[in-house]
């Protein structure tokens, strides 16, 4: 008997901020390639997570959460990046948080179907659902009048339901050989990932609106024998913000540096020497040219 054919293709991971898109991509890849935080709008760039299985290969396009707020140039760019992600993909995962569904989810569904691709509904965070009996009527309500290529309640965090999800997704991918080597996990450079690791700590360790006024630029990325020497600039918008990021006696910046260094060492499998600086660039998040020079594009 013939084994089933190998399948490979692009899978867009779409949904509102904070539903767990990046957590899902990481769970499927098996390595943390995309940063995650409890705060919305953590992901700012499109990123490919490559998940290779014996039956096929998923090229998962992680995207910034789609959101209505278009206040700053950065938000507009993030929305464009999310929309652009659906070009050339074979199937989309529409990720929602169990129990939630609103106009924006409905709009995302419509846009994906209009683009002509199968949409798999991924109902994430079922581990947080207190009343499990509410799941069925909720799924019935969402599915009414919509055509999903599969409906999968999962927990990306606890890795529940992923095997069945992978099976569904693979069935919608074309028969072809793997597009990336089996030990490749992302399309992004180590330099980019290093910046993201610092940004993850900013999202996690800074309060209120401050994370949204920060970005990270990797100025130095050098291989020195078995060691990586990395220099990262944390850009803020005002002097007062700089003082907060540095913290009393430099304590907060040290904590941000040491936590991100540990993450880098884990991902790169090398010893990392990390230097960080905080600098002010007024209004960078609402300035298209500044955004481009800081590595943002759609
Ligand atoms: N309990 C629970 N928490 C989850 C699950 N999946 C994700 N989370 C948490 O939800 C938060 C947001 O996760 P992310 O993966 O950053 O969400 P995202 O959709 O990528 O968010 P943006 O990049 O901001 O659009 C984090 O605190 C995750 O740990 C899950 O299945 N169960
Ligand atoms: Mg994300």
């Amino acid at each position: 008997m013939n084994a089933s054919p190998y399948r490979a293709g692009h899978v867009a991971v779409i949904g509102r901020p904070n539903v767990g898109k990046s957590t899902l991509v990481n769970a499927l890849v098996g390595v943390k390639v995309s940063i995650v935080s409890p705060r919305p709008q953590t992901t700012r760039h499109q990123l490919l997570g490559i998940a290779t299985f014996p039956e096929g290969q998923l090229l998962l396009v992680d995207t910034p959460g789609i959101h209505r707020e278009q206040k700053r140039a950065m938000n507009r760019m993030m929305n464009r990046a999310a929309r652009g992600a659906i070009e050339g993909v074979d199937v989309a995962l529409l990720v929602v948080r169990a129990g939630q569904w609103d106009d924006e989810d409905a709009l995302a569904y419509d846009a994906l179907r209009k683009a002509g691709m199968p949409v798999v509904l991924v109902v994430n965070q079922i581990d947080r659902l207190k009343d499990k009996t509410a799941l069925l009527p909720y799924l019935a309500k969402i599915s009414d009048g919509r055509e999903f290529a599969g409906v999968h309640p999962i927990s990306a965090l606890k890795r529940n339901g992923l095997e069945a999800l992978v099976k569904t997704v693979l069935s919608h991918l074309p028969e072809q050989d793997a597009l990336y080597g089996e030990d490749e996990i992302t399309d992004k450079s180590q330099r980019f990932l290093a910046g993201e690791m610092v940004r993850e700590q900013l999202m996690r360790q800074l309060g209120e609106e401050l994370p949204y006024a920060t970005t990270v630029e990797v100025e130095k990325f050098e291989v020195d024998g078995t060691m990586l020497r990395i220099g990262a600039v944390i850009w803020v918008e005002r002097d007062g913000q700089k003082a907060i990021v540095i913290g009393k006696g430099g304590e907060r910046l040290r904590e941000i540096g040491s936590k991100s260094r540990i993450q880098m060492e884990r991902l790169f499998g090398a010893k990392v020497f990390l230097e960080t600086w905080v600098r002010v660039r007024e209004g960078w998040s609402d300035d298209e040219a500044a955004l481009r020079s800081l590595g943002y594009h759609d």
Side-chain angles (χ1 to χ4, degrees):
M1 216 170 76
N2 283 338
S4 47
Y6 200 85
R7 293 175 184 271
H10 286 82
V11 184
V13 184
I14 304 285
R16 285 193 290 142
N18 217 30
V19 292
K21 299 178 296 299
S22 302
T23 306
L24 173 60
V25 168
N26 293 336
L28 292 172
V29 173
V31 179
K32 186 165 142 190
V33 288
S34 191
I35 63 169
V36 165
S37 91
R39 320 197 49 167
Q41 300 180 29
T42 296
T43 303
R44 290 181 186 165
H45 308 267
Q46 233 187 70
L47 172 149
L48 205 63
I50 304 164
T52 306
F53 302 97
E55 306 81 20
Q57 187 173 62
L58 313 189
L59 308 173
L60 298 149
V61 189
D62 192 11
T63 63
I66 27 173
H67 53 93
R68 269 204 203 96
E69 190 199 343
Q70 301 258 336
K71 271 195 290 204
R72 295 169 302 164
M74 185 170 68
N75 297 104
R76 291 192 289 274
M77 214 169 249
M78 284 163 68
N79 272 334
R80 288 202 298 272
R83 285 204 204 94
I86 68 176
E87 270 168 47
V89 307
D90 301 290
V91 53
L93 304 185
L94 180 58
V95 186
V96 297
R97 183 172 150 188
Q100 295 182 346
W101 179 269
D102 72 9
D103 288 357
E104 280 185 69
D105 300 306
L107 284 173
Y109 169 83
D110 291 341
L112 293 167
R113 291 298 292 151
K114 215 168 134 192
M117 68 189 71
V119 178
V120 176
L121 179 66
V122 177
V123 179
N124 190 29
Q125 307 201 19
I126 49 162
D127 57 294
R128 295 178 67 176
L129 212 58
K130 286 195 191 82
D131 177 12
K132 306 276 183 218
T133 61
L135 195 58
L136 277 179
Y138 164 78
L139 294 179
K141 192 187 89 191
I142 300 179
S143 305
D144 187 32
R146 298 194 178 90
E147 204 181 318
F148 289 111
V151 175
H152 287 268
I154 66 155
S155 167
L157 191 71
K158 310 239 185 256
R159 296 166 185 258
N160 285 330
L162 299 186
E163 231 173 272
L165 173 63
V166 169
K167 222 171 152 192
T168 298
V169 174
L170 279 171
S171 73
H172 291 283
L173 298 183
E175 290 178 20
Q176 59 178 334
D177 291 340
L179 300 164
Y180 285 82
E182 65 179 273
D183 50 2
E184 288 182 80
I185 51 173
T186 179
D187 64 335
K188 295 290 186 197
S189 65
Q190 289 191 328
R191 187 186 188 107
F192 171 88
L193 296 169
E196 288 289 276
M197 300 289 147
V198 178
R199 212 166 59 69
E200 178 174 62
Q201 293 308 318
L202 297 173
M203 294 298 298
R204 286 170 179 251
Q205 294 192 37
L206 301 176
E208 315 271 324
E209 290 300 304
L210 194 46
Y212 305 103
T214 64
T215 190
V216 176
E217 185 178 27
V218 176
E219 275 198 342
K220 184 171 80 179
F221 193 101
E222 291 166 5
V223 183
D224 180 356
T226 56
M227 191 176 181
L228 293 170
R229 291 186 182 277
I230 300 173
V233 177
I234 298 167
W235 289 102
V236 295
E237 299 198 300
R238 293 194 301 274
D239 275 329
Q241 295 169 337
K242 177 173 170 173
I244 298 172
V245 174
I246 292 171
K248 225 188 204 162
E251 205 176 322
R252 184 171 282 121
L253 186 58
R254 266 199 302 280
E255 184 70 12
I256 289 166
S258 80
K259 289 237 168 81
S260 44
R261 181 179 50 77
I262 290 166
Q263 294 278 329
M264 289 176 205
E265 291 186 335
R266 188 174 299 159
L267 185 62
F268 303 150
K271 185 123 194 67
V272 169
F273 179 74
L274 174 68
E275 284 175 286
T276 49
W277 302 273
V278 185
R279 289 188 199 138
V280 180
R281 183 155 173 179
E282 250 172 72
W284 69 264
S285 73
D286 198 22
D287 174 344
E288 296 261 353
L291 282 165
R292 280 179 212 289
S293 82
L294 291 167
Y296 289 89
H297 48 80
D298 43 31

